Amino acid sequence: MTARTAAWAVLLALAGPGGAASAAAETKAVLQVDVEGRAGMNRHRLVLTSRSADGRDLMLLFSCRVAEAGTFGVALDLGAGAIWSIEGENVAMSRDRAADISRRMDASGEYLTLGGRAAIAAFGPLLQSPWIGFVVRERYTASFDLAAVGAHVRRFRELCPT
């Protein structure tokens, strides 16, 4: 068993008998429509929050410009503080009943970020799943129950088609 597989096994074990989706049963969402953003560009934002099995506060933020959905961006906060390598980190991403993918995300303080076409390619398919999970450094895990906030996710996908 690889360390990455072991990290997923721990995440699933902590999820209990309901499986991975129950680990993120406390996922909450806030949808912001046409709000002021950087450089005077209004944005649509979907903010997901959850708590890890070990008590870390987790956040996943999706954003796109109102006038240009191709400016899609993502920020992931694993509640670990500003510990990320300045070159960024490899992030393993998993969705319900689909193969894991790995993407390099940039480091920005406490957040791991990805923008533009790379974010659309990686996160567009993830937004189609009822559950998504992340592993960084084979140690930091996060999961979000998208089914629990399905109306928010569907509306964001309408506003920011990928």
Side-chain angles (χ1 to χ4, degrees):
M1 177 183 294
T2 67
R4 184 167 155 257
T5 303
W8 278 116
V10 168
L11 178 65
L12 293 173
L14 292 171
S22 68
E26 296 298 322
T27 298
K28 296 178 183 168
V30 173
L31 179 65
Q32 299 175 324
V33 178
D34 200 4
V35 295
E36 187 176 334
R38 291 181 294 151
M41 298 289 196
N42 283 11
R43 296 184 164 274
H44 302 304
R45 292 188 190 109
L46 175 63
V47 182
L48 303 176
T49 58
S50 188
R51 186 167 299 238
S52 69
D54 62 2
R56 287 176 288 112
D57 290 322
L58 309 169
M59 182 192 69
L60 180 59
L61 169 80
F62 297 93
S63 174
C64 79
R65 287 185 185 165
V66 171
E68 185 183 356
T71 58
F72 196 84
V74 178
L76 175 63
D77 182 356
L78 295 171
I83 63 166
W84 311 121
S85 165
I86 61 170
E87 293 91 16
E89 299 283 347
N90 288 321
V91 178
M93 303 174 194
S94 180
R95 61 185 172 144
D96 192 44
R97 294 185 292 274
D100 291 355
I101 60 172
S102 182
R103 293 288 184 270
R104 187 112 181 130
M105 294 182 74
D106 298 321
S108 178
E110 295 182 14
Y111 304 101
L112 294 170
T113 63
L114 191 63
R117 295 189 192 284
I120 291 171
F123 285 90
L126 291 175
L127 280 171
Q128 304 292 325
S129 179
W131 172 87
I132 56 177
F134 304 91
V135 175
V136 179
R137 292 187 184 173
E138 300 176 353
R139 176 179 175 199
Y140 298 100
T141 61
S143 63
F144 297 89
D145 182 359
L146 299 184
V149 292
H152 290 83
V153 173
R154 281 188 299 280
R155 182 64 179 133
F156 181 78
R157 285 189 351 235
E158 291 170 2
L159 294 167
C160 300
T162 54

